[in-house]
Amino acid sequence: MMFVHFAVRNIRAYRNRSLVTILLLALTTTMLVFATAFMDGSHAKMLSNAVEIYPGYIQITHRDFRDKPSLDNLIFDTGSVRRVVATTPGIAAFAPRFESFVLFAGDAKAVGGMLTGIEPAAEKKLSRLAASLTRGAYLEEGDGNRLYLGYELARRLKVEVGERLSFVGTGVDSSFAADTLVVKGIFNTGLFDFDATAAFVDKGYFDRIMMAENHATHFIVLPADPREADPVAADLNSRLGPDYLAESWRTTMEGLVQAMLVDSIFGYLTLAVIFIVIFFVVLIYTWLTVFARMREIGVLRAVGTRPGQILRMLVAESMLLALGSVVLGGIIGGVLAWYFHHHPICFSFSEEQFKQYGLAASSMPTAFAPLVILRDMAVMFVLAVGSTLYPIVKANRVRPIEAIHHV
Amino acid sequence: MTHLKRLTAAIFCLLWTASTAVATPSVDDIVKRVEANLSGETAFMRLTMVVRTKRGKRTMKMESWAKGRDRSFIRITYPGKDSGITFLKIDNAMWQYVPRIEKTIKIPASMMLQSWMGSDFTNDDLVRESSISEDYHAALAGENETEYLLDLHPREEAPVVWGRIRMHVSKEYLLPARVSYYDEEGRLVRVLDYLEVKPFGERHYPTRWRMLPQSLDREGHLTEVIIEHAVFDAEIDEAYFTKRALKRFSQ
Amino acid sequence: MSRVLLRIALASLGRRRSRSLLVVIMIVMSLWGLLAMEGLYDGMTEQVIDNAIRSDSGDISIFADGYRSDPGLHRLIANPAEIAAVLDADRRIKSHVQRLRQDGLIATAHYARNGAILGVDLAAEERHGQLAAYLHKGVYDFGEKRRGALVGSRLAAKMKVKVGDKIVLSAQNRDNEVTALALRITGILKTNNMALDDSAVFIDLAKAREMLMVAEGVSRISILLHDRRQVDAVRQVLQAELPEREVRGWDQLYPALMQGREMMAVFNLITSLLVFCVAALGIFGVVLVSVLERLREFGIMLAIGTTFAEIRAMVFVESFVLGLSGYLGGALLGGLTLLYFSRYGLDLSMFSAGLDAFGMDAVTYALIRPGYFLTALAAVSGATLISVLLPLRVLRKARPIEAINRI
């Protein structure tokens, strides 16, 4: 306890050094906490955007559908899948979809695209389709032949809200399917390819016209906690049996997951450069103060204090300083992370870039994860104390007589 | 001296080819006659198409009018909901009229390899029904009592996806009996059988065509075309082969 | 400043050897890290941009009016020869190539996919953008009869085709009739420009003309300049000379890449500022302490007639010796590191799926720009200067003469 007492006294005695050290360390901790929160948050946001726009956190398909996406590998009994998913814990929402490659024909020309039957109400919870509306209105149950399509597809077909177009496709029984559709709404998700090919109708109507009653190409499942997508998918797999396959977004969107990892690595490399400099600055400041107190140390040694005791005193001092700054920085960083978690930062200037990578996000919330903040604080604490060790040990090696005469 | 030698050599050659030609028709000849026997000057047919998949079967009926290999017109007559859908093919282009949407659609290039009416035939099969004599080199790979076995290798410039086609030709009718399509690696992709040859006036014609895709993703698939009625080489109204016909003859 | 003072300055640095060394090491490390980071990040950004420019957009592209919003064979540049004459007259233009493009279907016995058929002159493309450098497999040649095709790497992977395989292209020709052409894959291109790798089939320009029935006219003329910085100037001149055409710079054709570059510049700037601020703090601490320690010394010097200006100069020399040694060390190490990475590259192929998503090459080659070293020199000088100012003020206020009388 004595060391702590001495340490506190010394910290107060060398106020300037303490202040600079605390400021520096607190600033660094703030930076680390905030940078981590920002990187994690923006990556999570980009991923969740990419996942939530349309692909969904968990997809259930017929086990062979991914390799051979043919009409033979559909989910033929949506009722049974529905029952299983409904009784699986940890699931917030789910719905079947039926995707079908068709030929859309406007007055001007015919364009190939994807016509998908969805359950409008459930889909609203599962994807950003409804939120991406730009003109007209989103679908409702019982909408019949009313169509919700991407703006680029609408542009190619030269149709507007309220106008008609037709489609020609193949029903589930391989029968011929065609009908006239009326544009109800136009969406813009920001994903160019998607907006140029995708169009949606109410699944009730789709099922009638495509003979798809009780059939689906896949189910989309939203876990109550998106971070639990993997275990929920595993649970679904065991409950659904070998005929079906439930896969989380980590499998279906592997490239994007890796891209975020690459981005994080570069982020941490940059932080590393900054930290190296800070490590040296703290080292230098410790060096300066410890050597400024050389005489004091010499006197202490002369009156019989053992080097171990002095070492402990100095380390306690630096630990106290480090602890104080890390806590201060952690709190400031944490508050910032919390604030920007609820008030996301907007990057309107980088919108194009996000679109290019299929991310379609310009507002970036930071992640507020107390455990991660504690981890960063621990890292900073070790770094801070570590940077003081060398000068402390070095000063302690000086012989008492030299120390007393140290200028 | 040398002139004389060359002359004799030439004469020998001539005699030799002439003699073989008498014994069996040349390979190119077989191919040309097979093609002629399959299409004729004009043809009117009533057909039933049965598409079988793992999950069941579906039957469609249609009428078809054709002039040579370049022009044809098809009208669906059954099932009721598809009745009146018409197709027109002129050279390499294909149009479709769908009464339900009252629209004539030109099938774009990007849809050419899509399945035609849910069958194992593609739009391209109908449109490009590529001229075997033009697109392939034929070679006799063997023969027995009843059949010639022909190997058809695509000519270098021919815009066909197959690596090789093997054709069994019946000696009796000079009609194909079985056509196997291979990819470039020599894997069998699909088999088309021509069965139940029946007489139609002067002409014999296979009345049951069976397409058996071999790829894994089409396991259990089968498309059969049954020719119920056919009239060959009769006069066909030119009006069938215009875009206006699509709507006009839809009913 | 007298030689004596210079000697005193160096001597006082030498007296606190460890401390001076620490400051120098700090500057070396921060500079090293910053330079390496800057060069690698810039290398990455420029590589992505360079890929897009060389393989597709050129520095500037010319299209027929309205082509970009409604592409097709009905909007071709009708008189490419006249435009070529205009381009040849401009000394700033290094090279230009003509391309004919039509979307169509690419098929094998097993697969069919939509793609872009690009009619090009391989020899001209090689002179223009060194297209051959992107050859991933096979040869950069259409063969003697020009029946070869170079296929984008991702398209080839999706269609499961390799060099030597046959593909059949179908597309609408100028008369809107479907025409087909059989070609053999002679090479596979990996440009890392996703738009091309995903869908492009390069075929001989004459063959493309034959197939599409386009006797004259091209879809695009791509231009490379001697100096990329002149894009805007040249573009404006060309647009004025060719009013009936769309003349677009690469930054207009790939706005996302331009934004990426700007973001990277801002990011680099912020990082550098942070590092130098922290480093300045380090220098400041050392200079301050060394001034305070020597108050008596300075007092004596003033007393024996040294002017304050001379003492100030001495302190400056001390700090600049520290700063410049740090700079030299850092620049040397950073330069060597960049030299290494510019020659051998940084191999990140383990994250290739993620890099593909960003359109990045698996191996990044660092850039070395003289600017890096000049800015770094300015920054180090600036940091040193700022960190000396405050100690000098302290020195002036401390009235060193009085200090002599203190203990």
Side-chain angles (χ1 to χ4, degrees):
Chain A
M1 233 28 246
M2 253 260 284
F3 310 115
V4 180
H5 180 74
F6 270 118
V8 171
R9 194 189 60 87
N10 285 331
I11 287 171
R12 289 168 66 178
Y14 299 92
R15 208 171 296 133
N16 280 342
R17 169 257 182 167
S18 307
L19 210 62
V20 170
T21 311
I22 287 179
L23 274 180
L24 211 56
L25 287 177
L27 189 77
T28 319
T29 314
T30 309
M31 208 158 75
L32 177 63
V33 167
F34 185 73
T36 311
F38 179 72
M39 277 200 295
D40 289 356
S42 57
H43 290 164
K45 171 83 174 177
M46 287 185 209
L47 283 172
S48 70
N49 261 328
V51 170
E52 284 165 13
I53 281 176
Y54 185 67
Y57 284 99
I58 300 174
Q59 284 189 17
I60 301 174
T61 52
H62 181 279
R63 71 187 136 82
D64 294 329
F65 189 77
R66 191 162 293 285
D67 291 333
K68 291 174 270 172
S70 80
L71 288 174
D72 289 337
N73 296 328
L74 299 174
I75 296 172
F76 289 111
D77 184 6
T78 52
S80 68
V81 174
R82 206 183 277 273
R83 277 189 296 280
V84 172
V85 179
T87 53
T88 306
I91 286 171
F94 65 94
R97 284 180 191 157
F98 199 116
E99 292 177 344
S100 176
F101 191 68
V102 303
L103 186 63
F104 291 108
D107 284 332
K109 57 175 164 180
V111 176
M114 186 77 87
L115 181 67
T116 304
I118 53 169
E119 293 181 354
E123 191 65 40
K124 212 168 184 169
K125 294 179 215 150
L126 293 169
S127 70
R128 299 263 169 85
L129 275 185
S132 307
L133 176 84
T134 53
R135 290 197 292 281
Y138 177 64
L139 297 175
E140 281 166 46
E141 213 181 314
D143 253 350
N145 66 343
R146 305 180 79 189
L147 182 75
Y148 188 55
L149 81 168
Y151 80 98
E152 180 63 21
L153 182 60
R155 198 185 66 76
R156 288 181 186 183
L157 289 164
K158 301 195 170 78
V159 290
E160 254 311 320
V161 175
E163 292 181 351
R164 287 164 180 279
L165 71 158
S166 324
F167 82 92
V168 176
T170 306
V172 174
D173 60 347
S174 304
S175 70
F176 184 84
D179 203 3
T180 303
L181 303 164
V182 180
V183 178
K184 183 178 187 188
I186 293 175
F187 62 79
N188 180 354
T189 60
L191 305 183
F192 186 82
D193 283 342
F194 187 72
D195 294 339
T197 51
F200 298 86
V201 288
D202 174 36
K203 193 160 185 305
Y205 166 79
F206 186 93
D207 291 352
R208 275 200 306 285
I209 206 102
M210 303 293 253
M211 305 291 159
E213 195 73 46
N214 202 24
H215 300 335
T217 48
H218 60 276
F219 268 77
I220 292 298
V221 178
L222 173 68
D225 180 353
R227 283 168 298 185
E228 296 294 307
D230 283 317
V232 172
D235 189 20
L236 280 170
N237 268 328
S238 65
R239 284 162 186 261
L240 284 164
D243 282 349
Y244 299 102
L245 183 64
E247 285 176 306
S248 87
W249 60 275
R250 260 182 256 277
T251 318
T252 54
M253 306 185 75
E254 197 209 344
L256 197 57
V257 173
Q258 255 189 39
M260 295 300 123
L261 188 66
V262 173
D263 197 53
S264 292
I265 289 173
F266 284 115
Y268 283 119
L269 276 181
T270 310
L271 280 182
V273 173
I274 299 175
F275 283 6
I276 287 172
V277 183
I278 285 168
F279 179 88
F280 272 98
V281 173
V282 173
L283 196 153
I284 287 170
Y285 274 69
T286 316
W287 182 281
L288 292 177
T289 34
V290 167
F291 277 83
R293 285 154 63 184
M294 210 37 123
R295 257 202 253 193
E296 178 193 328
I297 293 171
V299 171
L300 279 173
R301 290 285 298 280
V303 299
T305 320
R306 272 170 290 121
Q309 285 175 312
I310 292 172
L311 186 75
R312 262 175 279 174
M313 183 191 76
L314 289 174
V315 170
E317 220 180 290
S318 85
M319 282 172 90
L320 268 180
L321 272 179
L323 192 67
S325 7
V326 163
V327 167
L328 183 66
I331 289 172
I332 299 173
V335 166
L336 285 176
W338 179 84
Y339 178 83
F340 288 109
H341 180 67
H342 293 285
H343 304 87
I345 306 163
C346 281
F347 294 96
S348 52
F349 67 91
S350 54
E351 212 155 336
E352 280 293 327
Q353 201 189 11
F354 289 126
K355 272 186 202 168
Q356 161 113 357
Y357 301 138
L359 297 171
S362 54
S363 95
M364 292 292 164
T366 50
F368 181 69
L371 269 181
V372 176
I373 294 177
L374 281 179
R375 180 202 71 188
D376 287 347
M377 286 165 66
V379 169
M380 275 312 297
F381 181 76
V382 172
L383 191 71
V385 175
S387 62
T388 60
L389 285 183
Y390 173 68
I392 289 174
V393 170
K394 179 108 185 176
N396 225 6
R397 286 227 191 95
V398 179
R399 272 174 294 159
I401 297 294
E402 274 177 36
I404 292 177
H405 291 132
H406 188 89
V407 198
Chain B
M1 184 60 198
T2 49
H3 278 280
L4 195 64
K5 249 186 185 172
R6 271 190 204 156
L7 193 67
T8 22
I11 290 169
F12 263 106
C13 266
L14 219 77
L15 283 176
W16 186 76
T17 28
S19 66
T20 48
V22 172
T24 47
S26 81
V27 175
D28 289 341
D29 221 32
I30 297 175
V31 173
K32 287 215 170 94
R33 285 178 63 184
V34 164
E35 280 186 316
N37 288 342
L38 265 186
S39 55
E41 284 286 296
T42 70
F44 167 74
M45 295 183 199
R46 246 179 244 131
L47 331 152
T48 301
M49 184 164 83
V50 182
V51 179
R52 279 174 212 275
T53 65
K54 268 185 190 167
R55 295 159 285 123
K57 71 168 204 179
R58 215 166 55 85
T59 305
M60 271 173 283
K61 289 181 190 293
M62 59 200 79
E63 296 172 325
S64 120
W65 292 258
K67 218 165 201 179
R69 267 198 312 268
D70 295 334
R71 294 185 293 169
S72 62
F73 183 88
I74 296 173
R75 180 161 74 99
I76 311 287
T77 53
Y78 175 88
K81 91 174 175 76
D82 295 345
S83 169
I85 296 174
T86 54
F87 292 90
L88 171 66
K89 173 219 147 170
I90 299 176
D91 296 327
N92 280 337
M94 184 154 135
W95 292 264
Q96 172 180 32
Y97 174 76
V98 186
R100 187 185 169 93
I101 57 176
E102 293 182 349
K103 221 169 235 176
T104 300
I105 298 167
K106 181 167 185 187
I107 312 284
S110 61
M111 299 289 283
M112 275 304 175
L113 284 138
Q114 295 286 316
S115 139
W116 182 75
M117 294 298 288
S119 71
D120 293 303
F121 293 95
T122 61
N123 291 324
D124 199 58
D125 285 328
L126 272 80
V127 171
R128 214 183 289 149
E129 204 183 309
S130 62
S131 156
I132 286 182
S133 56
E134 275 173 33
D135 288 345
Y136 295 86
H137 291 290
L140 191 65
E143 64 175 295
N144 59 20
E145 290 289 293
T146 55
E147 286 180 342
Y148 296 114
L149 185 58
L150 303 184
D151 265 341
L152 306 170
H153 289 278
R155 291 178 198 278
E156 201 194 335
E157 310 81 35
V160 293
V161 294
W162 312 117
R164 176 169 67 101
I165 296 178
R166 169 158 283 206
M167 190 188 273
H168 296 256
V169 178
S170 97
K171 283 184 170 173
E172 190 182 353
Y173 306 113
L174 280 180
L175 280 170
R178 159 167 282 200
V179 183
S180 309
Y181 297 85
Y182 294 87
D183 70 6
E184 290 223 293
E185 265 81 45
R187 283 173 300 195
L188 186 59
V189 182
R190 62 183 201 182
V191 175
L192 179 57
D193 284 329
Y194 294 91
L195 309 163
E196 296 174 24
V197 178
K198 288 181 187 164
F200 292 87
E202 298 286 289
R203 189 185 282 272
H204 283 81
Y205 206 75
T207 56
R208 185 183 288 271
W209 302 16
R210 182 187 290 155
M211 175 68 91
L212 250 168
Q214 302 292 310
S215 57
L216 280 174
D217 58 330
R218 308 217 76 167
E219 218 180 302
H221 282 241
L222 176 89
T223 299
E224 272 194 314
V225 176
I226 300 137
I227 293 147
E228 319 263 359
H229 171 82
V231 179
F232 293 98
D233 304 330
E235 191 67 20
I236 291 182
D237 193 348
E238 281 289 327
Y240 277 105
F241 307 113
T242 59
K243 274 173 76 180
R244 281 224 308 277
L246 284 161
K247 192 168 180 183
R248 183 172 154 207
F249 296 114
S250 160
Q251 293 316 309
Chain C
M1 193 170 127
S2 73
R3 201 170 290 172
V4 185
L5 288 174
L6 190 66
R7 218 177 282 162
I8 295 176
L10 292 179
S12 52
L13 282 178
R15 205 167 49 185
R16 300 271 181 258
R17 210 175 299 124
S18 313
R19 186 202 286 172
S20 308
L21 211 61
L22 273 179
V23 175
V24 172
I25 290 175
M26 176 191 73
I27 299 173
V28 167
M29 297 296 279
S30 52
L31 216 58
W32 186 12
L34 276 182
L35 285 174
M37 217 180 63
E38 211 170 2
L40 274 172
Y41 288 1
D42 279 353
M44 232 171 251
T45 324
E46 295 304 318
Q47 210 165 35
V48 173
I49 292 174
D50 199 51
N51 284 343
I53 287 179
R54 279 168 52 200
S55 63
D56 185 45
S57 70
D59 289 316
I60 297 172
S61 272
I62 302 177
F63 306 94
D65 207 25
Y67 177 86
R68 287 205 311 133
S69 58
D70 183 19
L73 295 180
H74 58 293
R75 290 188 196 275
L76 294 182
I77 301 171
N79 51 349
E82 285 171 36
I83 295 181
V86 172
L87 300 180
D88 286 336
D90 195 322
R91 285 271 177 112
R92 292 169 296 185
I93 291 171
K94 188 180 122 225
S95 63
H96 54 91
V97 288
Q98 307 177 354
R99 300 189 191 124
L100 185 62
R101 178 191 166 126
Q102 173 72 322
D103 290 341
L105 189 77
I106 297 122
T108 65
H110 298 278
Y111 299 94
R113 286 195 82 88
N114 292 317
I117 299 164
L118 287 151
V120 297
D121 175 346
L122 280 191
E125 291 286 347
E126 173 59 12
R127 282 194 301 275
H128 178 72
Q130 287 102 47
L131 194 63
Y134 293 118
L135 192 73
H136 183 55
K137 279 180 186 140
V139 291
Y140 183 77
D141 192 14
F142 290 141
E144 227 168 86
K145 292 184 182 165
R146 317 242 146 202
R147 304 202 64 93
L150 300 177
V151 179
S153 58
R154 284 154 68 113
L155 179 66
K158 283 182 197 157
M159 296 204 41
K160 303 203 171 115
V161 288
K162 54 188 188 309
V163 173
D165 286 357
K166 184 162 88 173
I167 50 171
V168 175
L169 309 183
S170 338
Q172 238 124 303
N173 67 14
R174 204 170 199 172
D175 299 337
N176 274 327
E177 275 173 25
V178 178
T179 65
L181 180 66
L183 296 167
R184 235 166 241 292
I185 298 177
T186 46
I188 291 174
L189 289 181
K190 189 171 191 303
T191 62
N192 283 324
N193 180 357
M194 273 178 289
L196 286 185
D197 288 355
D198 256 341
S199 67
V201 178
F202 289 87
I203 68 172
D204 182 59
L205 182 57
K207 268 272 172 301
R209 289 193 184 288
E210 210 176 287
M211 174 190 185
L212 301 171
M213 309 245 291
V214 176
E216 222 201 1
V218 294
S219 313
R220 153 188 261 171
I221 297 176
S222 167
I223 299 165
L224 283 180
L225 304 180
H226 288 290
D227 183 353
R228 194 160 289 165
R229 284 168 298 187
Q230 292 176 326
V231 166
D232 259 341
V234 177
R235 190 186 69 76
Q236 277 162 23
V237 170
L238 288 178
Q239 184 68 80
E241 277 182 78
L242 306 164
E244 300 287 289
R245 311 270 176 254
E246 280 182 16
V247 184
R248 295 287 179 271
W250 70 267
D251 47 334
Q252 292 166 303
L253 297 169
Y254 285 96
L257 296 185
M258 189 63 195
Q259 275 179 6
R261 176 198 258 185
E262 279 164 9
M263 267 174 81
M264 192 53 90
V266 171
F267 178 79
N268 275 345
L269 185 70
I270 292 176
T271 316
S272 310
L273 274 178
L274 266 174
V275 167
F276 282 112
C277 283
V278 178
L281 204 61
I283 306 175
F284 162 76
V286 171
V287 176
L288 181 67
V289 169
S290 82
V291 165
L292 291 180
E293 276 174 347
R294 282 146 65 196
L295 273 183
R296 268 165 45 128
E297 190 183 315
F298 290 143
I300 293 167
M301 286 171 75
L302 285 173
I304 60 172
T306 320
T307 61
F308 187 79
E310 279 171 321
I311 288 181
R312 189 170 59 198
M314 204 172 79
V315 175
F316 266 118
V317 165
E318 278 181 43
S319 351
F320 275 93
V321 166
L322 286 181
L324 287 181
S325 334
Y327 171 78
L328 288 178
L332 188 71
L333 282 178
L336 285 176
T337 309
L338 286 183
L339 208 60
Y340 176 84
F341 283 121
S342 69
R343 181 159 305 167
Y344 301 106
L346 174 66
D347 192 345
L348 291 167
S349 41
M350 60 189 294
F351 302 110
S352 55
L355 298 174
D356 278 354
F358 282 131
M360 276 162 47
D361 296 357
V363 179
T364 290
Y365 294 93
L367 279 188
I368 308 181
R369 290 177 170 153
Y372 298 159
F373 299 95
L374 291 178
T375 355
L377 180 60
V380 170
S381 315
T384 316
L385 187 67
I386 290 169
S387 54
V388 169
L389 290 180
L390 194 65
L392 280 179
R393 257 173 66 106
V394 172
L395 179 62
R396 191 184 280 271
K397 283 205 180 136
R399 296 194 203 134
I401 303 253
E402 288 169 22
I404 309 175
N405 299 325
R406 284 188 232 143
I407 317 158

